Structures are given as C-alpha cells and as structure tokens.
Amino acid sequence: MKLYGYWRSSAAYRVRIALNLKNIQVEHISVHLVKNGGQQHQSEYTNMNRQELVPTFVTQDEISGETLTLTQSLAIIDYLDELHSQGSLLPASIQDKALVRSMALLVACDVHPLNNLSILQYLSNDLNIDDEAKTKWYHHWVHKGFIALEAMLEKHSGKYCFGDTVTLADLCLVPQVYNANRLKVPMEAYPNIVRVWNACNKLEAFDKALPENQPDAVVQ
Amino acid sequence: MKLYGYWRSSAAYRVRIALNLKNIQVEHISVHLVKNGGQQHQSEYTNMNRQELVPTFVTQDEISGETLTLTQSLAIIDYLDELHSQGSLLPASIQDKALVRSMALLVACDVHPLNNLSILQYLSNDLNIDDEAKTKWYHHWVHKGFIALEAMLEKHSGKYCFGDTVTLADLCLVPQVYNANRLKVPMEAYPNIVRVWNACNKLEAFDKALPENQPDAVVQ
C-alpha cells in the first residue's frame, strides 16, 4: 500500500491519522506541491490522480488482485475504516454516524477546499488578489466554518468531537486547526475546538501524523 | 420529516433525488437564498444550521424520540440510505464503495463549494471581481473537476456513474451538470458525464427533483 501525500497537505494529514490509528503500515511517497511548479501537475502523478491533488492511495484489490487507486481523503479513510473495522471511526448508530459525518463534511466541503493551495494560487495569479485580501479570504471561510463547528461541539463533544471516542470528525478538525494556526486565525471564540484539538494531539496517532514529523517536512 | 431546501441549491437537489429514489415523503420547506438578503441568514434558520447553508434535514430520532437536525447533504443522504437500505446508493464491496465515494466527493468537495452562492457573493462584494472574471472562476473549477470525473467515468461507468445501478455519485453529478449548464460551461469534452446525466434524467426520481419542478421555482 502506498500513500502519495505531502507533509503540509491537510487532506493527506487526515489519512495519516487514520493509518496510525488503525496501525496500518504503508509506503509514504512525497509529492512536492510547490517545487518545480508542483509535482502534482506532472504526468507521473496525474496519471493516477487527474485532479492533481494529494492524497492518492494505491493498494491491491484483495479479491481481484488488481491495483486499486483511490482519491479523495474521506473516501480513502472510509475504505480503511471498513477494511480494518476494529476501532471504527464512526459511531454504531445511524443517527450518531450522520452527526459525525456532518461535522467532518463541514470541514472537508466548506472550509478546506476554499483555502486549498490551488485556490490561493488562483486568487494571486488569476485574480491579482494581494496577500492581505488573501489572508482575509482565508480567515473568512475558517471563521464561517468554525462558528458552526463550535456550536456542534458544544452540543455533541466529549473529550473528542463526538463523545469520548475518536471519530472521523476529529480527523478533519485537527488538520484544519493546524492550518488555521499557521495562517494566524484567532481561535479565542472556539474553546471547544481548541480543547478537542489539544486532546487529539496528546494521542500518538495524531502526533505521528503532524506535518513537522514527516520525512519530507521542511521546518524553518 | 422536513427538508429545508431551495429549488436551485445543488446540495438540496441531491437530497431530493435520494428521497425520491427511496420513496420517502417529507415536508419541503423553502429557504429563499436571495430574497431579503437571504432567509438562510435569518435567526429562525440559523438556529438549526449555523453554517447558513441549505439543506437542513429535521427528523425524530426513532429511539429517543428527540429531534434530530442534520446538515451537510452527503451526511443526510448516507443517513437516509442506511435507514432505508433497500436500493442502496452504495455498492456492496468495500473497493467499489470507495470508488463511488471518491467520485461523489470530487464533486461535493472540489467543485461545488467553490461555486456556491456565498463564494460568488464574496468574489463580487468583498473582492470586487467583475462578472466576466467570476464566470471564468466558475468555469475553471468545473473544468478541473470534470476532467477528473470524466476520466473516472471512462473507467467505471456503465449506464450510470458506476456500472448500471444508480449510486451516490449520480446524485452528485446530476445537480453539478445542471448548474454547469446554467452557467454555460461547454460540455463537449465530457461525453461520459453528459451521457450519464441524460440517463439519470430519464428516471422519475431525478426528474421530480429538478429545480424547475419544485413548488418554489421561479422560472422565467
């Protein structure tokens, strides 16, 4: 099994946490998102992932033996979770599962995509948006999402996003907070988000998945 | 059961298709996204959905009897699919399920959110982007997504996105194509997407869910 990722990619970070929680060993292959205009745009990679985004997960189909190439972090995580169902990342009840998915999708659909590298590059290169307005854009969408997520955590969180067990929602929250911190989003209004983020980072699976703990990390 | 939606919302459109396929009757409540600055921003609605986005699904928890309020269209659809598992919207095998989810998420995470009403409003109001550049932005992200989706359909589609059975991927594809057509995105490069779109629209569940067939539709 191979995971094509990048230390700073939030979506790859989510999958790394899942792999660690499930104790699944894979080969990590770094796709440098910036060097030489971005390795994710080179044909060697785009043959596997036409979206030119990380991560991509490559494995062998257990039944047919064929190569299975999966894109989209949440699809990869669901796959890993079903394959290794012990310590499921989703609650058992249909209702609870839906609540966890709605938290995860809030981040994955309505926060992260708006602040992705490719979008920030488009804002600069195609729309000539300056750095100040770009930072404002970034903060705006994080705040929109975090206001809603904080309200959900107020209602549903325990030690983690949903009760006292780590779920898919935590796998989405942690990389998003990491990213928000990097872009200096004020977090005072989100005590539950910060509390859950701290609780998660105490776990080895989350710590090992931290961007700066990856072999391809460039830490100044 | 109540669905708060809007005729033109792609995310609500996805849920309408799921409800029709599953033959589930709900009360449809229209949240006008434009009138008076948008009803989704009024406290009556934001109390249920702090993201100020449609749809919101409200039901009674079958066990506790408590009100269950769900946001995020894909979480709502998964909930409905598990509750009424006949005619599942996901294939049985873990591998196939992951492929269907990756197609659905490609649209739901990387195309739709970038072209949502709130983003287009931010481009105009906060970044002073003119209509021409806004249309270019819209087309850009649709093309990025559709190039990748077309490649996946080439490999996995039958009559529908994944083989000959309607799946979650079709529920995401159809509203996105509807929207792309409305914004005049050229579709010549995507023969499989167009073919699947046409096949889906021949089904009553998809036809009934069309924006113009909703009671709150304003058709010029």
Side-chain angles (χ1 to χ4, degrees):
Chain A
M1 290 188 281
K2 292 176 188 174
L3 180 69
Y4 292 82
Y6 182 63
W7 65 293
R8 259 186 179 165
S9 152
S10 294
Y13 187 177
R14 292 175 199 151
V15 178
R16 290 197 302 264
I17 301 167
L19 290 168
N20 294 343
L21 284 167
K22 300 273 176 188
N23 247 316
I24 303 170
Q25 308 297 327
V26 302
E27 185 185 344
H28 288 269
I29 299 167
S30 176
V31 181
H32 202 297
L33 299 188
V34 186
K35 206 161 63 185
N36 302 329
Q39 294 178 342
Q40 75 278 24
H41 304 305
Q42 292 167 10
S43 63
E44 203 182 327
Y45 186 73
T46 62
N47 286 340
M48 284 188 308
N49 187 323
R50 293 293 296 270
Q51 284 200 266
E52 306 177 22
L53 296 171
V54 291
T56 302
F57 184 76
V58 180
T59 184
Q60 217 77 355
D61 185 304
E62 290 191 0
I63 300 150
S64 68
E66 277 177 38
T67 301
L68 177 70
T69 304
L70 293 179
T71 56
Q72 290 293 333
S73 61
L74 294 194
I76 298 167
I77 293 169
D78 263 331
Y79 171 82
L80 295 170
D81 198 33
E82 288 205 69
L83 205 62
H84 299 260
S85 54
Q86 218 178 8
S88 175
L89 297 170
L90 290 168
S93 97
I94 298 180
Q95 289 81 0
D96 292 350
K97 211 180 285 187
L99 290 167
V100 167
R101 282 204 193 277
S102 64
M103 291 186 203
L105 289 163
L106 181 161
V107 173
C109 294
D110 293 324
V111 181
H112 175 65
L114 298 167
N115 294 333
N116 218 345
L117 179 66
S118 55
I119 279 74
L120 299 178
Q121 286 176 336
Y122 191 98
L123 289 176
S124 304
N125 303 342
D126 296 75
L127 297 178
N128 297 313
I129 302 301
D130 64 28
D131 282 353
E132 197 189 327
K134 231 168 64 176
T135 302
K136 225 175 128 185
W137 160 281
Y138 183 96
H139 285 209
H140 177 81
W141 301 114
V142 170
H143 282 306
K144 289 286 281 181
F146 278 6
I147 287 168
L149 186 59
E150 178 68 19
M152 293 186 81
L153 292 188
E154 218 174 290
K155 209 167 162 185
H156 302 292
S157 69
K159 193 167 175 185
Y160 304 113
C161 281
F162 193 83
D164 293 328
T165 309
V166 169
T167 63
L168 179 66
D170 301 295
L171 274 61
C172 292
L173 175 140
V174 167
Q176 188 60 65
V177 173
Y178 179 91
N179 221 303
N181 284 342
R182 193 160 76 86
L183 275 288
K184 301 191 170 51
V185 177
M187 293 293 291
E188 289 74 20
Y190 315 115
N192 285 291
I193 293 178
V194 172
R195 178 179 54 76
V196 167
W197 180 65
N198 278 317
C200 287
N201 281 330
K202 292 207 177 88
L203 302 174
E204 197 194 347
F206 285 79
D207 185 72
K208 266 180 62 185
L210 271 170
E212 54 263 36
N213 292 341
Q214 305 317 304
D216 59 339
V218 182
V219 184
Q220 275 104 19
Chain B
M1 289 188 280
K2 293 176 188 174
L3 180 68
Y4 293 82
Y6 182 62
W7 65 292
R8 260 184 180 165
S9 152
S10 293
Y13 186 177
R14 293 175 198 150
V15 178
R16 291 198 300 264
I17 301 168
L19 290 168
N20 294 342
L21 285 168
K22 299 274 177 186
N23 246 317
I24 303 170
Q25 308 296 327
V26 302
E27 184 186 345
H28 288 268
I29 299 166
S30 176
V31 180
H32 202 297
L33 299 189
V34 186
K35 207 160 63 184
N36 303 329
Q39 294 178 341
Q40 75 277 23
H41 304 306
Q42 292 166 10
S43 63
E44 204 182 327
Y45 185 73
T46 61
N47 286 340
M48 284 188 307
N49 186 322
R50 294 293 296 270
Q51 284 201 267
E52 307 179 21
L53 296 171
V54 291
T56 302
F57 183 76
V58 180
T59 184
Q60 217 76 358
D61 185 304
E62 289 192 1
I63 300 149
S64 68
E66 277 176 39
T67 301
L68 177 71
T69 303
L70 293 179
T71 55
Q72 290 292 334
S73 61
L74 294 194
I76 298 167
I77 293 169
D78 262 331
Y79 171 81
L80 295 171
D81 198 33
E82 289 205 68
L83 204 63
H84 298 261
S85 54
Q86 217 179 8
S88 175
L89 297 170
L90 289 168
S93 97
I94 298 181
Q95 290 80 2
D96 292 350
K97 212 180 285 188
L99 290 166
V100 167
R101 282 205 194 276
S102 64
M103 291 186 202
L105 290 162
L106 181 162
V107 173
C109 294
D110 293 324
V111 182
H112 175 64
L114 298 167
N115 294 333
N116 219 345
L117 178 65
S118 55
I119 279 75
L120 299 178
Q121 285 175 337
Y122 191 98
L123 290 176
S124 304
N125 303 341
D126 295 76
L127 297 178
N128 297 313
I129 302 301
D130 65 26
D131 282 352
E132 198 188 326
K134 230 169 65 176
T135 302
K136 225 175 129 186
W137 161 280
Y138 184 96
H139 285 211
H140 177 81
W141 301 115
V142 171
H143 283 306
K144 289 286 281 181
F146 278 7
I147 286 169
L149 186 58
E150 178 68 18
M152 293 188 81
L153 293 188
E154 218 174 291
K155 206 165 164 189
H156 301 292
S157 71
K159 194 167 173 185
Y160 304 114
C161 281
F162 194 81
D164 294 326
T165 309
V166 170
T167 64
L168 179 65
D170 301 293
L171 273 60
C172 291
L173 175 140
V174 167
Q176 188 60 63
V177 174
Y178 179 91
N179 221 302
N181 285 341
R182 192 160 78 86
L183 275 287
K184 299 192 170 50
V185 177
M187 292 293 292
E188 289 75 20
Y190 315 115
N192 284 293
I193 293 178
V194 172
R195 179 180 54 75
V196 167
W197 180 65
N198 278 316
C200 287
N201 282 328
K202 292 208 176 87
L203 302 174
E204 197 194 346
F206 284 80
D207 185 71
K208 266 180 63 186
L210 272 170
E212 54 262 37
N213 293 340
Q214 305 317 303
D216 60 338
V218 181
V219 185
Q220 274 104 21

